[in-house]
Amino acid sequence: MTPYEAFSDALLPWIIRIAGLLWLVGAFMLFRQIRVEMALDRMTSRIEEMAREMRADLPPEGDEGEDEDTYGDLDAPVRPRKTTAEEKATDAWIDRDDAARRGWIAGQAVVLAATAIAMMILHPFAAWLTALLVLGQGVYFIWREHTARHAPTAEAAAHARPTPATVNAAWFSLVIATLVWAAAFRGLLK
């Protein structure tokens, strides 16, 4: 065994353990993000419901003053813009898509947490779990692109595509998975 191989055999397990620790923290952050998004969705839904109730309680407005220019007048009443049926349908589509995306991410977060624990204890199953994680990310990107192509509007399509941070995380996952596979090949996972 060359000095380089001995050095890499000593360093690689520590890199994998540190990456596992980071992934475990990342899994908890994903769970936290999902909880926050679900709470925000519930609050937004409740606010919209309260706004509808308040609008129903208001007396009907007359047409007087509709043509009046109130730009810059702080005391002028705010006239809400009417939401079109197309905008309502797009909002409903985005809400359903967000719920499906959150479900997928929650499943991936479970795999991420299991992979992180396996990596931290250098368990041989870490190699299989990293493969599952990378495969899941590939399926996620294909699904998101398919969803974006079938979105009702350009705004919904942009919302459906993965963010650059998600793409960078997938590349990082592939690098770490390669290190785990190399460690498994070298017999460092026991």
Side-chain angles (χ1 to χ4, degrees):
M1 179 179 283
T2 66
Y4 172 74
E5 290 173 339
F7 178 74
S8 68
D9 284 355
L11 184 63
L12 193 55
W14 285 105
I15 292 172
I16 291 171
R17 284 183 180 120
I18 291 169
L21 179 63
L22 292 175
W23 276 4
L24 189 60
V25 170
F28 286 121
M29 295 302 287
L30 279 173
F31 285 127
R32 183 176 170 270
Q33 174 189 349
I34 290 167
R35 279 188 41 225
V36 167
E37 285 182 10
M38 290 173 66
L40 287 174
D41 282 350
R42 284 192 301 271
M43 284 190 290
T44 303
S45 170
R46 182 64 186 136
I47 289 170
E48 288 173 354
E49 181 182 321
M50 289 170 45
R52 281 192 298 273
E53 290 172 0
M54 288 175 59
R55 261 187 244 116
D57 291 343
L58 291 175
E61 290 187 24
D63 289 335
E64 68 276 349
E66 287 289 325
D67 296 332
E68 184 180 323
D69 182 22
T70 59
Y71 182 78
D73 184 5
L74 296 177
D75 295 329
V78 176
R79 293 186 183 96
R81 185 179 68 81
K82 301 290 184 202
T83 306
T84 66
E86 181 182 327
E87 290 172 331
K88 288 180 183 177
T90 300
D91 287 344
W93 185 90
I94 288 174
D95 289 344
R96 284 191 309 274
D97 183 56
D98 281 346
R101 182 185 53 82
R102 269 195 301 273
W104 180 269
I105 290 173
Q108 282 292 96
V110 170
V111 173
L112 182 64
T115 305
I117 291 169
M119 286 168 58
M120 288 170 52
I121 62 173
L122 297 177
H123 195 279
F125 201 57
W128 292 101
L129 287 172
T130 55
L132 180 63
L133 187 68
V134 169
L135 178 67
Q137 288 173 338
V139 169
Y140 176 76
F141 286 128
I142 292 168
W143 171 49
R144 299 315 299 160
E145 185 58 33
H146 174 76
T147 302
R149 289 177 188 226
H150 292 86
T153 63
E155 174 192 354
H159 182 76
R161 286 194 170 87
T163 64
T166 304
V167 173
N168 291 340
W171 283 112
F172 181 74
S173 297
L174 187 59
V175 169
I176 296 300
T178 304
L179 293 175
V180 171
W181 298 329
F185 179 75
R186 306 245 347 227
L188 301 175
L189 303 181
K190 299 175 181 129

